[in-house]
Amino acid sequence: MRHDVRLLPVLVVLCIAACADSEVDGGPPGPPRPVPTPLVQIDGSSTVYPVTEAVAEEFQARRGGRVRVTVGVSGTGGGFKKFCRGETQISNASRPILEQEIQACAAAGVRYIELPVAFDALTVVVNPQNTWIDSISIEELATMWRPEAQGTVSKWSDVNPSWPGHPLRLFGPGADSGTFDYFTEATVGKAKSSRGDFTASEDDNVLVTGIANDANALGFFGLAYYSENRDRLRALAIRNGSGPAVAPSLQSVADGSYTPLSRPIFIYANADAVNRRPELREFVEFYLTHAQDLIREVGYVPLPDEAYQLALARLSRGDTGSVFEGHSEVGVRVEELLQRTPK
């Protein structure tokens, strides 16, 4: 029997293809390919971080690790930069989105849903060795922090003659921080209007350590960081105008007496990603549904029940934009904000 050797190359090619197909379709099964774990990426405010981190841990535990959530800390401004570039799906913010950030998101085609999640008491603290001050007025804080104070207000006695002539050393969040923006607006009268010769950090733990190690220090940050470090710091009561001095606490924030340094804090969710990714929508719904107990645990003040229901409705409708028109508002109530139409 004769064989046509001219057919051999064709047969070899067909054999190789058939063998390859059998390995893929009909051959012995190989190890299963791992399915990527859905990832929710969050960044932004160090003030909001303790809340979001607590929610993220609880969410991941309840989902058995089927969704991974990462939470970074680059400050409110730094978080919005990443968010508007599409690098994150949620941005933590301790103040509303500003006009330049609105424009950056619009230029990149990033639409967002603005969601208040808690109240914070912006807390002014000193070292426990400070024996000459228990309360401080908004006017005295303005004297310390206004731009004109640089080079002229360098001692405690420069602020109030009844205080000692010890050097005044100031600590505060950096320029990318929403806490810095809100504090300067509430005290000096204009966001970001501040002296520059203070120790700044986007990491509130750095500020805690600096104040705890300096008897002449004064600084400010969110209530949760003070609550965690009560043994190392002392909070000052705030005097606003002719009213009594009011200490920061869950109660004084809830009843509205801690003013003007109480404020809402937010998350911003990428609206298109929420519609496209079920796990992201599920996380945001979980946040708004379960936040109250977790917020109390980390030392902030939950919103009223009605506010969370209004926020869930805003998420369900997909209402995009901000109700603040590109700037913060001192002393505003959350229920009022959630009744406004975002723009």
Side-chain angles (χ1 to χ4, degrees):
M1 182 176 180
R2 296 182 61 190
H3 298 281
D4 191 342
V5 295
R6 291 174 298 177
L7 295 177
L8 287 177
V10 176
L11 293 172
V12 169
V13 171
L14 292 174
C15 180
I16 291 173
C19 292
D21 287 342
S22 68
E23 288 179 3
V24 173
D25 299 323
R33 294 181 180 179
V35 177
T37 302
L39 175 63
V40 175
Q41 296 165 297
I42 307 170
D43 208 314
S45 167
S46 62
T47 300
V48 187
Y49 171 84
V51 179
T52 301
E53 179 68 8
V55 174
E57 288 179 359
E58 184 70 15
F59 177 79
Q60 290 175 105
R62 295 198 186 191
R63 296 302 177 271
R66 293 188 295 274
V67 179
R68 183 167 162 246
V69 184
T70 63
V71 188
V73 181
S74 59
T76 297
F80 275 130
K81 289 173 184 175
K82 295 181 180 182
F83 182 75
C84 293
R85 291 197 297 260
E87 297 173 10
T88 58
Q89 295 81 53
I90 295 174
S91 200
N92 291 331
S94 59
R95 48 105 175 129
I97 189 168
L98 301 179
E99 181 60 36
Q100 63 267 31
E101 295 158 346
I102 292 172
Q103 293 173 3
C105 277
V110 174
R111 303 185 308 133
Y112 50 83
I113 304 172
E114 180 181 75
L115 299 166
V117 294
F119 281 118
D120 176 32
L122 203 158
T123 306
V124 179
V125 300
V126 294
N127 186 286
Q129 295 180 48
N130 181 318
T131 59
W132 58 89
I133 182 173
D134 293 314
S135 66
I136 192 167
S137 70
I138 293 298
E139 293 76 10
E140 287 165 339
L141 287 170
T143 299
M144 286 182 179
W145 286 92
R146 63 169 54 105
E148 297 81 10
Q150 184 164 336
T152 61
V153 179
S154 58
K155 303 187 297 295
W156 283 88
S157 57
D158 293 333
V159 181
N160 186 324
S162 68
W163 296 343
H166 300 331
L168 174 64
R169 300 194 182 98
L170 298 175
F171 293 77
D176 265 344
S177 167
T179 299
F180 173 78
D181 292 348
Y182 190 91
F183 178 83
T184 50
E185 184 160 359
T187 57
V188 178
K190 182 180 179 182
K192 297 185 183 296
S193 179
S194 171
R195 65 190 300 164
D197 58 340
F198 66 97
T199 301
S201 177
E202 308 299 343
D203 185 344
D204 289 335
N205 291 304
V206 172
L207 304 178
V208 167
T209 300
I211 299 165
N213 291 334
D214 190 335
N216 295 307
L218 177 143
F220 64 93
F221 36 69
L223 180 62
Y225 288 91
Y226 166 67
S227 299
E228 288 181 357
N229 295 279
R230 289 177 182 270
D231 57 333
R232 307 172 64 196
L233 304 170
R234 189 162 59 82
L236 299 179
I238 300 299
R239 304 191 309 277
N240 186 24
S242 58
V246 179
S249 70
L250 302 185
Q251 180 60 38
S252 64
V253 173
D255 66 23
S257 61
Y258 188 71
T259 181
L261 296 184
S262 61
R263 45 141 185 202
I265 57 178
F266 307 83
I267 61 171
Y268 286 74
N270 183 305
D272 296 322
V274 164
N275 292 332
R276 189 174 65 250
R277 296 178 50 182
E279 73 280 358
L280 179 59
R281 175 177 290 275
E282 186 181 8
F283 174 78
V284 178
E285 289 175 346
F286 183 90
Y287 201 132
L288 297 173
T289 304
H290 296 87
Q292 284 182 300
D293 291 338
L294 296 171
I295 285 167
R296 289 189 184 95
E297 287 179 14
V298 300
Y300 290 147
V301 181
L303 306 180
D305 290 339
E306 178 191 5
Y308 290 110
Q309 295 306 314
L310 289 170
L312 282 165
R314 179 178 287 182
L315 176 69
S316 178
R317 294 190 304 266
D319 293 344
T320 59
S322 172
V323 303
F324 289 92
E325 300 182 358
H327 59 85
S328 294
E329 293 183 36
V330 174
V332 69
R333 302 295 297 174
V334 169
E335 295 92 331
E336 176 194 342
L337 297 178
L338 287 166
Q339 296 290 356
R340 297 180 188 175
T341 301
K343 298 178 181 179

